[in-house]
Amino acid sequence: MMKTANDLGYGSVKAIIDDKEIQFPSVFTIEREQDIASPVEFESKSQKDEYMKEFLNHMDVTISSSSIKTPGRFLIGQNAVDQNLPLTHFDINDYAGKAESDYSLILTLSMIAGAAVEQAYEEGKDLSEPLKVNTRMAAALPVKEGSNIETKNMYRERYAGSTHQVTFHNFKNPITVTIEFDKIFVATEGETAQLFISTGKDKDLTKKIKEDFDTRYPEMASLVKAEDLIQAKNVVSIDIGAGTVDIVVIVNGKALVSASYSLSEGYDNALEEALEVLRDKKFNFSSVAELKEFLATKPSPLSRGRYEAVQKVVYAQLEPFCDRIVTEVSRSVRKAGATIEVVYVHGGGSIPMKDQTMLRTKLEDKLKDFNGGQVVPVIWIPKEKAQTLNRDGLEFIVDHAK
């Protein structure tokens, strides 16, 4: 039985399959006839071993499943990026969501099948024989989808209600993997992150949470222990992703669905707005991905002026986005009608926004209005953990599920 913890984000897929950590961009390419490459051949066993060790970075598939209507042969994730072909990705402006999208299944089924091929090769199995996988999976949906029982059931049924076949076309002879799902657990993004924090399982994470608290709120450092922070029962979890911001309110240790919201925009939407301004100012960026890469790269002395000018435009676009997050948090807290003890901010978008924006200060100021003027601590999850909290919470669910 394979175990899959699948955090399918708009920007990247973060997963753990049988203890193997997996991450790749949430993109694929629909291959045209002229894009199809010749089968891969190897000059030595060591070359083949190296290729198969990273097989998830080379996925070239067709999928046969009654749950998927999108036809074609697909290059998945990193392989799609490496080929410099037009990329298909989640539409961050689309209200349909992940549960209805074929893209969710294309990426997930390819990943599970690719992991099965890696495992089979490592175990010395004959890849000319069809592989069969039976997996138990925990997945997450944004709050606006995950709080709707019909949507959750529909998403679960798309996996569990069919047998799926993934065929890899990397080699002269195709590799076929049949996938069946034993059980599907569908959780809510943000809630799974908070679940993992509260377990205290990651000692380094707990230590970093306390360090962030002590640095930001030194006057309370000696009064509040790390355990007080991670085991707080009344919490707001803010998950800033590429395409959504999930605000989950937890009261008395349980998620309060009626007070939890998804903001249907994320960090990449703010960058899209910045991109329009940058183009008007004659800066040549073709995509959000290119802009993100530029911002993440340390500028040389020759490019520093350009870097700072671009950074200034981006920062100006991020503040209105911060204001919209604060407005949604205010709505959530008012609806919850409970005293919030601590706020956690995480997700891929939280990493640049920690230093690039005034979001933490704005949240603190707003939350004072609900706490008699007293500070409600806002904790920023460290960048090395910010993107994987939901994934780690899903692994905890799939490991402890009956």
Side-chain angles (χ1 to χ4, degrees):
M1 175 70 67
M2 178 185 276
K3 288 190 298 187
T4 303
N6 177 26
D7 179 22
L8 179 64
Y10 284 103
S12 63
V13 180
K14 288 85 62 183
I16 299 176
I17 296 182
D18 288 348
D19 300 324
K20 177 185 172 68
E21 295 186 4
I22 295 166
Q23 182 164 347
F24 61 87
S26 297
V27 296
F28 62 90
T29 290
I30 301 175
E31 293 182 82
R32 302 164 297 181
E33 191 173 339
Q34 64 266 35
D35 300 327
I36 296 174
S38 301
V40 177
E41 295 181 356
F42 304 104
E43 294 178 2
S44 64
K45 186 178 183 302
S46 62
Q47 190 183 54
K48 185 177 182 180
D49 288 346
E50 194 61 34
Y51 182 92
M52 296 305 294
K53 188 178 176 185
E54 300 293 332
F55 187 69
L56 284 159
N57 290 331
H58 306 294
M59 294 187 285
D60 178 352
V61 308
T62 52
I63 302 174
S64 176
S65 168
S66 61
S67 296
I68 297 176
K69 306 300 181 216
T70 306
R73 177 167 161 179
F74 312 113
L75 299 179
I76 305 292
Q78 193 59 47
N79 196 20
V81 174
D82 291 344
Q83 303 309 316
N84 290 319
L85 294 170
L87 298 175
T88 300
H89 48 77
F90 285 106
D91 184 351
I92 57 175
N93 301 304
D94 188 351
Y95 286 102
K98 294 177 188 174
E100 295 178 41
S101 175
D102 277 358
Y103 302 175
S104 300
L105 276 82
I106 289 169
L107 294 168
T108 298
L109 295 173
S110 299
M111 173 183 70
I112 291 170
V117 171
E118 279 190 8
Q119 288 180 9
Y121 183 81
E122 198 175 309
E123 293 166 6
K125 291 181 180 176
D126 182 2
L127 296 181
S128 65
E129 293 292 323
L131 300 174
K132 290 187 177 180
V133 174
N134 197 346
T135 186
R136 176 171 291 198
M137 182 173 78
L141 289 172
V143 174
K144 68 175 182 178
E145 296 180 82
S147 59
N148 185 316
I149 191 67
E150 290 181 6
T151 302
K152 285 175 77 168
N153 287 339
M154 177 269 289
Y155 190 52
R156 188 183 291 113
E157 186 62 18
R158 292 187 75 189
Y159 289 109
S162 306
T163 297
H164 317 273
Q165 190 176 81
V166 179
T167 303
F168 292 94
H169 301 281
N170 302 62
F171 313 113
K172 184 178 178 182
N173 297 316
I175 300 171
T176 302
V177 183
T178 300
I179 303 171
E180 290 185 347
F181 288 86
D182 172 59
K183 276 191 177 178
I184 310 282
F185 306 95
V186 182
T188 302
E189 292 172 8
E191 187 178 2
T192 51
Q194 202 55 43
L195 168 68
F196 185 71
I197 290 171
S198 68
T199 65
K201 187 178 176 183
D202 189 327
K203 303 298 182 191
D204 185 55
L205 173 61
T206 301
K207 180 184 170 192
K208 293 280 176 59
I209 285 171
K210 177 66 167 128
E211 286 174 358
D212 185 77
F213 176 84
D214 290 353
T215 302
R216 186 72 179 184
Y217 310 103
E219 70 284 358
M220 291 192 279
S222 62
L223 304 173
V224 178
K225 295 182 289 191
E227 290 73 21
D228 298 325
L229 293 169
I230 67 169
Q231 291 172 7
K233 297 298 184 186
N234 297 328
V235 178
V236 174
S237 170
I238 305 174
D239 182 0
I240 306 174
T244 59
V245 178
D246 285 305
I247 299 160
V248 178
V249 178
I250 295 166
V251 176
N252 295 325
K254 293 185 179 180
L256 192 63
V257 172
S258 63
S260 298
Y261 297 103
S262 276
L263 187 62
S264 298
E265 61 177 310
Y267 181 70
D268 283 15
N269 297 86
L271 290 186
E272 273 189 348
E273 293 175 6
L275 208 56
E276 292 178 19
V277 179
L278 288 166
R279 285 169 180 158
D280 289 343
K281 292 180 178 291
K282 306 295 189 292
F283 287 101
N284 185 27
F285 291 100
S286 61
S287 67
V288 167
E290 189 181 332
L291 177 58
K292 283 170 93 168
E293 188 175 338
F294 176 79
L295 290 169
T297 305
K298 186 178 179 182
S300 69
L302 289 171
S303 64
R304 179 167 294 281
R306 180 173 187 260
Y307 183 89
E308 289 176 352
V310 170
Q311 203 175 42
K312 187 176 179 182
V313 170
V314 171
Y315 288 3
Q317 294 303 312
L318 286 176
E319 286 308 324
F321 176 48
C322 292
D323 293 339
R324 291 192 287 275
I325 293 173
V326 172
T327 298
E328 288 300 299
V329 170
S330 176
R331 185 158 73 113
S332 291
V333 174
R334 186 179 183 87
K335 193 86 177 280
T339 301
I340 299 302
E341 297 169 285
V342 63
V343 175
Y344 285 101
V345 184
H346 54 97
S350 74
I351 299 169
M353 289 179 71
K354 179 182 180 183
D355 298 318
Q356 293 176 1
T357 72
M358 295 290 291
L359 180 57
R360 174 136 58 175
T361 301
K362 288 179 175 181
L363 285 168
E364 288 169 341
D365 290 344
K366 175 56 68 177
L367 289 164
K368 283 179 182 178
D369 295 341
F370 295 93
N371 197 36
Q374 300 298 307
V375 170
V376 176
V378 178
I379 307 293
W380 230 265
I381 297 299
K383 62 183 179 181
E384 60 272 17
K385 307 285 184 181
Q387 281 186 287
T388 58
L389 284 186
N390 280 313
R391 180 205 70 182
D392 294 338
L394 290 167
E395 185 190 27
F396 185 85
I397 289 169
V398 83
D399 280 345
H400 292 81
K402 300 298 182 187

